[in-house]
Amino acid sequence: MLKLIQNEWMKLWHKKGTWAMVAMLVLVILVPGGIMKYYEGKSSDEGSWQEIEQQSIQNNKAMLAEEDLSEEDKAFFEERIAISEYRLAHDAPSQKDNSLASFMSFTSNMLTLVILFTVITAASIVSSEFSTGTIKMLLTRPMSRAKVLTSKLLTTFLFGLFLVAVNVVVSAIVGLVLFGVGSGVELEVVNGQVAEKAVWNDLAYHYLLSGGDFVMSTLFAFLVGSVFRSSSLAIGLTMFLSFTGGMIVMFLSRYDVVKYIWLTHSDLTQYEKGILVPDMTMPFSLTVLAIYAVIFLVISYTSFMKRDVTA
């Protein structure tokens, strides 16, 4: 199995597209970092952070005085005022716009690009073998088809994890060089009290929750690529469902069946923002995703094991 994975890994890196994906990922981290650094210098003459916080208090109080505010809006402006007052009272400037942590929080959004590149790999790693005819040579080896397909699946996930590591490491280096560690703190209101926000814990949790979409999108693209032997169909269908999944869930939210669709649960980051569907919990979402993952794998393996490749 290890030799098969090594062989798939070498074939993957012999493709120019693989290097292009890595280069593009690095580029979309470097360019925004440079832009943010440029505008940070432009905004340095806007005044001290104390003046900015005082102005923020005045602005939020003015908004709070508006009529017909909802309770949610009132709570939001009250929290903003409480945080600004806490900063002034405890000499605690924000590191929101000029720190390593804030930049890495920003680049965590690049995981969408990581998922896209992993989907492209998953969709083509099997279908390309059929289109070029090299699958016949691969299956002549004294290895079962199940091992061959498993090696391709594991290689796909290893490549995806490699891209995640690239995203984290490059973001850390760029953020450290351009912005430094930062001396401020991030604050939030918890149970009516202002407290320091655990930025690194929240960032790690965000990466962990993003794994739901990462795994399910990869398995679905792998399924379509294995069954239909079309990488373009697999990529297009997977990304279509990824981008329209939220609208599909909203459209079906009035029906109970929505709780049993994998698209409802694949974006686990929704638990950071609030649950979209009532009576939905993390254990339930993980159970649904696990069931669909097994279904995707069973269909992929069954199709690959029974397919005639001699023609």
Side-chain angles (χ1 to χ4, degrees):
M1 176 63 71
L2 183 59
K3 289 184 178 180
L4 283 174
I5 295 176
Q6 290 176 339
N7 181 55
E8 293 296 332
W9 187 256
M10 291 176 60
K11 288 194 296 184
L12 184 63
W13 286 100
H14 272 89
K15 299 178 180 178
K16 294 181 179 179
T18 302
W19 292 97
M21 287 187 285
V22 176
M24 189 177 299
L25 180 60
V26 173
L27 190 63
V28 296
I29 296 174
L30 288 173
V31 172
I35 295 174
M36 292 169 66
K37 183 64 176 179
Y38 174 78
Y39 281 104
E40 179 190 40
K42 289 289 184 179
S43 61
S44 61
D45 57 350
E46 292 182 356
S48 65
W49 69 268
Q50 291 93 340
E51 295 173 342
I52 294 175
E53 293 296 342
Q54 289 171 353
Q55 184 62 47
S56 177
I57 292 174
Q58 295 177 9
N59 293 339
N60 286 321
K61 285 184 176 180
M63 296 298 297
L64 199 58
E66 295 285 340
E67 298 180 357
D68 300 328
L69 279 180
S70 65
E71 292 300 323
E72 292 182 357
D73 290 336
K74 288 181 179 179
F76 173 79
F77 291 122
E78 288 172 353
E79 287 182 1
R80 296 300 95 194
I81 293 172
I83 289 176
S84 294
E85 291 177 342
Y86 183 95
R87 292 192 186 282
L88 293 172
H90 295 81
D91 193 27
S94 172
Q95 63 172 7
K96 180 178 180 181
D97 298 323
N98 55 352
S99 69
L100 170 63
S102 63
F103 182 70
M104 291 193 68
S105 295
F106 168 76
T107 56
S108 66
N109 297 319
M110 303 304 175
L111 285 176
T112 302
L113 193 60
V114 170
I115 294 174
L116 171 61
F117 290 158
T118 309
V119 163
I120 293 174
T121 303
S124 60
I125 198 168
V126 175
S127 60
S128 62
E129 297 277 8
F130 283 96
S131 61
T132 59
T134 54
I135 189 66
K136 298 177 184 178
M137 298 176 58
L138 185 61
L139 295 181
T140 57
R141 297 184 179 185
M143 293 287 183
S144 66
R145 291 194 178 192
K147 288 185 176 180
V148 171
L149 193 62
T150 300
S151 68
K152 291 181 176 296
L153 181 61
L154 292 178
T155 300
T156 301
F157 277 113
L158 286 175
F159 180 67
L161 292 175
F162 172 78
L163 292 180
V164 173
V166 169
N167 181 71
V168 173
V169 173
V170 175
S171 298
I173 295 174
V174 173
L176 189 62
V177 171
L178 295 180
F179 307 105
V181 177
S183 56
V185 295
E186 286 300 293
L187 302 174
E188 62 182 345
V189 177
V190 181
N191 298 324
Q193 300 292 325
V194 179
E196 185 173 344
K197 190 176 182 180
V199 178
W200 295 111
N201 290 344
D202 290 347
L203 184 60
Y205 188 55
H206 176 76
Y207 271 93
L208 181 62
L209 293 183
S210 299
D213 196 20
F214 170 79
V215 172
M216 297 308 297
S217 295
T218 301
L219 289 179
F220 184 76
F222 191 78
L223 160 67
V224 178
S226 300
V227 174
F228 297 99
R229 291 179 287 180
S230 172
S231 58
S232 57
L233 175 63
I235 296 169
L237 185 57
T238 304
M239 297 316 299
F240 172 78
L241 291 177
S242 296
F243 286 112
T244 62
M247 292 186 290
I248 295 174
V249 171
M250 289 180 62
F251 179 76
L252 297 176
S253 59
R254 69 186 70 178
Y255 307 105
D256 289 337
V257 70
V258 72
K259 294 191 293 186
Y260 306 102
I261 300 175
W262 67 276
L263 291 172
T264 307
H265 306 274
S266 59
D267 183 15
L268 295 175
T269 59
Q270 63 188 296
Y271 286 101
E272 294 178 301
K273 312 162 190 175
I275 298 175
L276 295 177
V277 179
D279 302 324
M280 199 171 75
T281 62
M282 178 72 77
F284 180 73
S285 293
L286 293 176
T287 301
V288 172
L289 292 180
I291 292 173
Y292 272 96
V294 171
I295 293 174
F296 291 166
L297 288 173
V298 168
I299 296 175
S300 300
Y301 276 81
T302 301
S303 174
F304 188 76
M305 296 286 287
K306 293 184 176 181
R307 173 164 292 139
D308 181 15
V309 296
T310 57

